[in-house]
Amino acid sequence: MTKKVKIIEFLVRGALGICALVTLITTIGIVLVLGSETIPFFEEVSITDFLFGTRWTPLLEPKSFGVLPLVSGTGMIMLGSAFIALPVGITTAVYLSEFSSLKMRAVIKPVLEVLAGIPTIVYGYFALTFITPILKIIFPQTEVFNAASGAIVVGIMVLPMVASLCDDAFQSVPKALKEGGYALGATSFEVIGQVIIPHSASRILAAFILALSRAIGETMAVTLASGANAQFTFSPLQSIQTMTAYIVQVSLGDTPQGGIEYKTCFAVGSLLFLITLTMNVVGQSILFRYRRSSK
Amino acid sequence: MIDKFKSRKRTEKIFRAACFGLTFFSVLILVVLLFHITMTGHKYLSWEFLTNWPSRFPHKAGIKAGIWGTIWLISITACISIPIGVLSALFLEEYKIRGKLGKVIEINVANLAGVPSIVYGLLGLTIFVRYCGFDRSLLSGAMTLSLLIMPVIIVSSREAIKAVPDAIRFGAYALGASKYQVVFGHVLPIALPGILTGVILALSRAIGETAPLIIIGALTYISYTPESVMDEFTVLPLQIYNWASRPNEEFHYLAAGGIIVLLAVMMSMNFIAVMIRQRASKKVKL
Amino acid sequence: MNQETVMTCRNVNIFYGEKQAVFDVNLDILKNKVTAIIGPSGCGKSTLLRSLNRMNDFVPSFSMNGEINFDGRDVLKSDPMEVRTRIGMVFQKPNPFPKSIYNNIIWGPKIHGHKVNYDELVESSLRSAALWDEVKDRLHDSALDLSGGQQQRLCIARTVAMKPEVILMDEPCSALDPRSTIRIEDLINDLREEYSIAIVTHNMQQAARVSDYTAFFYEGELIEYGVTDGIFTNPKEKRTEDYITGRFG
C-alpha cells in the first residue's frame, strides 16, 4: 500500500505548494508590472520633477508631472480620516474591552463588522449626498467636491479596523496587571491610561499605521466625494485629487496604451504601492514581533 | 484628600461617558447611513428597476445588466479563488515548510492583504487584459478580483484550520494514516464551516469592489446579459458609480436604489456566513 | 522472564532540543502481557511511549538515538505510517473523529484498503472494546454524542479494528470518572489475550491492577523493571519504594 500512498502524498504536496506560490507570483507580478511602465516613465520625466514638482497636469498642455498635488490630496484625506478613526476607534476599543456588558458587545461588534463591510462606493455616495450638504450649511464656501467630506467617510471606513486591532491589544493585557492597578484603588480611567494603554502602546501604533495605510489606498469614496482637481493645497473645503482618484480618472478616459498619460498611472501606482507597502511592513512587523513574544 | 478623590471620580465619570458616546457614534453613523440611502433610493425600487437596461432617462433606467454581471463575475471569482486560496491555506498550515520559504510566503500574504485594490487593477490590466489578451472580459475581471481576495481567503481559512484540535490529527496518525489522508479526511471537513464563513465574507467584499474593475476597463453602459466568460460586462457598483457621478439629481436617487440592492445582497451573504459560524461553533469541542 | 518479547528498547536517549528527557533506557515489551510504565509526572514515561510508534515525529525539537526493535526491524528506521498501523495508540483524552460511530471504526481499515466486511469488523471491534451492546442500535449517530468513557472505548475499538500487534495507551483513564475507569481496566484485562499492551499511568493502583510487568521511571531514567507483584511488594530500589509508598510524586 505504501507505494501508492507515497505517490499520492507527493502529488498532493506538490499541488498545494503550487497554490501557495500563487501569492508569491502575485507580488512579483505587481512589482514587475509597476516597474515595467514606471521605468520608461522616468526616462521621459526626471525623478526630481516628479517627486518635488507642485503642478500636476499630465492630461493638459502644457504637461507637468509634479506629483505633490496628488500627494497633498492623499495626505489630507489620510490626516482627516485619522482625526476621526483614531480617537473614535481607540475609545470604542476601550469601551468594548473594559466597560461594555456582553450584551452591548454583541451589538457593537456586528455594527463595526457591517461598517467595515460596506463597499467604498456606498461611502462615496453618502459623502456626496449627505455629508457635503451638511458641510455646506456649516461652511458656505464648501465646494461640491471637497477633501473634508472624503476624509470623514474614509475615517468612518477605517474606524472598525482601528477598533478591532486595539480591542485585540487590550484583551491581551494580562489580567493580573489590570487587577494590580484596581487593587491600589485606581479608577478605570487611571488603569486604562497608565496600565493598559502603555502596555499595548506598540500594538496601538501598529493599528494606527495599518489603518492609515488603508486610508491612503482608498479609492472610490474619495473619487466620488473629493473630486478630480489636482491642486497643491491644504484647504479641506476645496476640491482635490488623490493618487488613487487620478488613476481612476485616467482609466475612465480613452488613454492610448504606451502614451505618457498611460505611464503616469503606473508611476503614481508605484508611489502608492511603495508608501502603503512600507507602512504595512512596519505595522505587520510590530504585530508579528508581538505575536511571537506572547507565545 | 477628599477634594482629590472627588475630582478623580468626576474625571472617571466624564471618561466613561465619553467612551460610551464615541462608541455609539458608530451605531449612529450606520443608522443615519442606512436611513439616508433608504429615503433617497426607495422610490426607484421596483420590478422595472431590477429588469430594465441602463438608460439616459432616469425613470427608464434599470440594473439588469449590473445584476447579471455581478452574478457572473462573482461565480467565476469563486471558482478561481476558493480552491487556490483554501489549498494554499492547507499547505501553509498543515505542510508547514520550515525555513525561509514558508516565512516569506506567510509575510507575503499578510502584506498582499494591505495592497490597495487599485494596484490589483493595474496588475489585472497589464497581465490579463493586455498580456493574456482576455480584453475587458468577465475572465479578466474575475481573475483580478481573485488575486485581490485570495489573501483574505487564505488568512481566514488558516484560522479555521488552526482551530481543528491536534487530538484529531494524532488520532488519525496513530492509525497509520498518511498526511494527505489526515488533511483531507479529517482536517478539511472539520474546518469547512469556518472556511466557508471566511470565503463568503471575502466574496461579499468582492461584490462591492469597484476600483479595480474601472482600471481594467469594465464598461458602465451595457444592454445585454453576458453569455460567456469572454464577454464584456458591467457590475452593480459600477452602475452605481456611474449614476452617482452625474450632476443630475434624479440619477443620484437611482444610485441609491442600486445601493439598496447591493447592500441587501451583501447583508444576506453576511447573515448566511454568521449562521454557518454559529451552527459550527456548537460542534466539535474536544 | 523467559517470555517472548515484541519490542525491545536499547540505549534509547530522547531529547527536546538541548534538554534530554530520557536517559539510556533499555526496556522490553512482552508478548500478550500488559506492561505498565509508572513514575511522577515529567519523568519521561509518556515521551518514551510516544516514541514507540513515532508519534513524537510531530514535535519539532524532538530527537532521539538508540534502537527500538520491533519484529526484527528498528522502528526509528522504518516507515512511520507502517509502524503506526502495526502499533496502535490510545490517547490521554478520548479523541473520536467527529463522524458516526461506524465511520470512526472503519476509517483506518478504509484508508489502508483492507478488504474486509465492514459491518462485521465494526461489530467485532466494538465487541472487543465492550461497547457493542451500548451502541449497536445507533451506529450511525455521531461519536461525539457518547459519554467520555464510551468515547474512550470507541477509540480502543478504532485501534483494535486495525488489528495491531501492540497497543500503546497513554494514561487512557486520566480524563474519565471512576466507573468508566474500571470498565477500561476490565477491557485491558481482556485485550491482553490478543494484544501486547504498554500503558503509561500515574495511578499506581491501576498499574497494580492491570499490569503483568511494571517499569518505574524517575527523571528520565528507568529505575526498576520487573514483574508487577515484585515491584509493588518488594522493590529493590529505594526511590521505587518511596514512590509507591507515596512519599513523593
Side-chain angles (χ1 to χ4, degrees), chain A residues 9 27 125 129 188-190, chain B residues 8 12 36 95 108 178 252:
Chain A
E9 185 68 60
T27 307
Y125 177 85
T129 61
S188 50
F189 175 65
E190 288 153 349
Chain B
R8 281 175 65 205
E12 171 78 7
H36 172 69
Y95 288 77
N108 182 46
S178 120
H252 288 184

Side-chain angles (χ1 to χ4, degrees), chain A residues 1 4-6 8-9 12-27 29-30 33-34 36-37 84 87-88 91-96 99 104 107-108 110-115 117-123 125-126 128-130 145 156 159 184-190 192 213-214 216-220 223-224 243-245 247-248 251-252 254-257 262 265-266 269-270 272-273 276-277 280-281 284 288 291-292, chain B residues 8-9 11-12 15-16 18-20 22-27 29-30 32-34 36-37 40-41 83-85 87-88 90-92 95 101 103-120 122-123 125-127 130 136 147 150-151 154 176 178-181 183-184 201 204-205 207-211 214-217 220 237-238 240-242 244-246 251-256 259 262-263 266-267 270 274 277:
Chain A
M1 65 114 207
K4 193 178 136 209
V5 168
K6 276 201 178 117
I8 300 177
E9 185 68 60
V12 166
R13 186 183 290 256
L16 297 196
I18 290 169
C19 288
L21 282 181
V22 170
T23 57
L24 221 49
I25 296 169
T26 307
T27 307
I30 290 174
V33 162
L34 291 177
S36 71
E37 299 286 347
I84 292 187
V88 179
T91 44
T92 303
V94 165
Y95 179 78
L96 281 176
F99 298 141
M104 283 318 292
V107 173
I108 305 287
V111 166
L112 290 175
E113 272 174 35
V114 170
L115 276 182
I118 289 179
T120 101
I121 182 91
V122 178
Y123 281 111
Y125 177 85
F126 184 62
L128 188 68
T129 61
F130 187 81
F145 300 108
I156 295 169
L159 184 167
L184 293 172
T187 61
S188 50
F189 175 65
E190 288 153 349
I192 289 160
S213 151
R214 170 82 64 83
I216 289 175
E218 193 27 67
T219 309
M220 291 324 290
T223 305
L224 261 182
M243 294 191 271
T244 50
I247 299 175
V248 169
S251 302
L252 285 171
D254 283 321
T255 317
Q257 185 197 359
Y262 181 79
C265 269
F266 289 83
S270 298
L272 178 71
F273 179 67
T276 52
L277 183 72
N280 290 340
V281 168
Q284 293 288 354
F288 189 73
R291 219 171 289 148
R292 221 175 16 184
Chain B
R8 281 175 65 205
K9 272 209 127 162
T11 321
E12 171 78 7
F15 176 64
R16 273 178 188 252
C19 282
F20 187 77
L22 283 175
T23 301
F24 271 82
F25 174 75
S26 314
V27 181
I29 287 286
L30 183 62
V32 169
L33 187 145
L34 294 179
H36 172 69
I37 284 168
T40 46
I84 301 182
L87 294 182
S88 302
L90 280 177
F91 184 75
L92 293 176
Y95 288 77
L101 186 65
K103 198 168 261 170
V104 167
I105 293 180
E106 192 164 348
I107 293 171
N108 182 46
V109 170
N111 283 318
L112 271 185
V115 172
S117 63
I118 198 161
V119 172
Y120 283 96
L122 292 172
L123 178 70
L125 173 68
T126 311
I127 303 288
R130 300 221 196 273
R136 329 166 135 187
L147 294 184
M150 200 97 73
I154 293 177
S178 120
K179 188 139 208 163
Y180 82 88
Q181 289 164 330
V183 170
F184 288 94
L201 292 177
S204 105
R205 182 180 155 192
I207 286 186
E209 272 302 338
T210 320
I214 293 182
I215 308 304
I216 67 160
T220 50
L238 269 174
I240 295 167
Y241 170 67
N242 181 271
S245 59
R246 293 188 191 199
F251 279 107
H252 288 184
Y253 302 146
L254 267 178
I259 288 174
L262 182 67
L263 287 183
M266 292 186 61
M267 294 215 180
N270 286 22
V274 170
R277 182 163 61 193

Side-chain angles (χ1 to χ4, degrees), chain B:
Chain B
M1 191 65 195
I2 300 288
D3 276 357
K4 174 87 178 142
F5 187 69
K6 259 189 186 159
S7 85
R8 281 175 65 205
K9 272 209 127 162
R10 200 170 54 232
T11 321
E12 171 78 7
K13 250 189 181 161
I14 296 170
F15 176 64
R16 273 178 188 252
C19 282
F20 187 77
L22 283 175
T23 301
F24 271 82
F25 174 75
S26 314
V27 181
L28 183 73
I29 287 286
L30 183 62
V31 171
V32 169
L33 187 145
L34 294 179
F35 183 74
H36 172 69
I37 284 168
T38 324
M39 288 320 284
T40 46
H42 76 275
K43 61 181 157 199
Y44 270 107
L45 270 189
S46 66
W47 186 245
E48 285 69 41
F49 180 64
L50 296 177
T51 53
N52 279 2
W53 304 111
S55 163
R56 282 184 298 125
F57 308 105
H59 58 278
K60 277 191 190 164
I63 52 172
K64 183 170 181 182
I67 289 180
W68 280 101
T70 294
I71 293 173
W72 270 82
L73 187 70
I74 291 307
S75 314
I76 305 169
T77 304
C79 293
I80 301 171
S81 61
I82 295 174
I84 301 182
V86 174
L87 294 182
S88 302
L90 280 177
F91 184 75
L92 293 176
E93 210 45 52
E94 296 292 316
Y95 288 77
K96 281 193 184 92
I97 6 169
R98 304 234 174 90
K100 284 225 172 86
L101 186 65
K103 198 168 261 170
V104 167
I105 293 180
E106 192 164 348
I107 293 171
N108 182 46
V109 170
N111 283 318
L112 271 185
V115 172
S117 63
I118 198 161
V119 172
Y120 283 96
L122 292 172
L123 178 70
L125 173 68
T126 311
I127 303 288
F128 304 131
V129 177
R130 300 221 196 273
Y131 187 77
C132 297
F134 296 153
D135 231 2
R136 329 166 135 187
S137 65
L138 278 164
L139 189 61
S140 296
M143 289 179 110
T144 308
L145 285 191
S146 295
L147 294 184
L148 174 69
I149 61 170
M150 200 97 73
V152 186
I153 294 183
I154 293 177
V155 169
S156 61
S157 302
R158 286 187 69 177
E159 291 301 319
I161 294 165
K162 222 180 269 177
V164 176
D166 263 345
I168 294 285
R169 295 185 182 86
F170 292 149
Y173 279 125
L175 295 172
S178 120
K179 188 139 208 163
Y180 82 88
Q181 289 164 330
V182 176
V183 170
F184 288 94
H186 293 292
V187 176
L188 186 58
I190 296 173
L192 206 56
I195 292 176
L196 220 53
T197 307
V199 163
I200 294 175
L201 292 177
L203 287 177
S204 105
R205 182 180 155 192
I207 286 186
E209 272 302 338
T210 320
L213 299 176
I214 293 182
I215 308 304
I216 67 160
L219 304 170
T220 50
Y221 189 89
I222 278 205
S223 52
Y224 55 83
T225 52
E227 276 164 6
S228 88
V229 294
M230 298 312 289
D231 283 351
E232 295 189 333
F233 68 103
T234 186
V235 289
L236 209 38
L238 269 174
Q239 200 76 76
I240 295 167
Y241 170 67
N242 181 271
W243 285 329
S245 59
R246 293 188 191 199
N248 182 346
E249 279 225 341
E250 279 300 308
F251 279 107
H252 288 184
Y253 302 146
L254 267 178
I259 288 174
I260 294 175
V261 176
L262 182 67
L263 287 183
V265 173
M266 292 186 61
M267 294 215 180
S268 33
M269 284 178 76
N270 286 22
F271 181 73
I272 293 170
V274 170
M275 291 306 286
I276 294 176
R277 182 163 61 193
Q278 278 179 351
R279 276 193 57 178
S281 68
K282 284 177 198 151
K283 286 203 301 191
V284 195
K285 280 261 166 64
L286 282 180

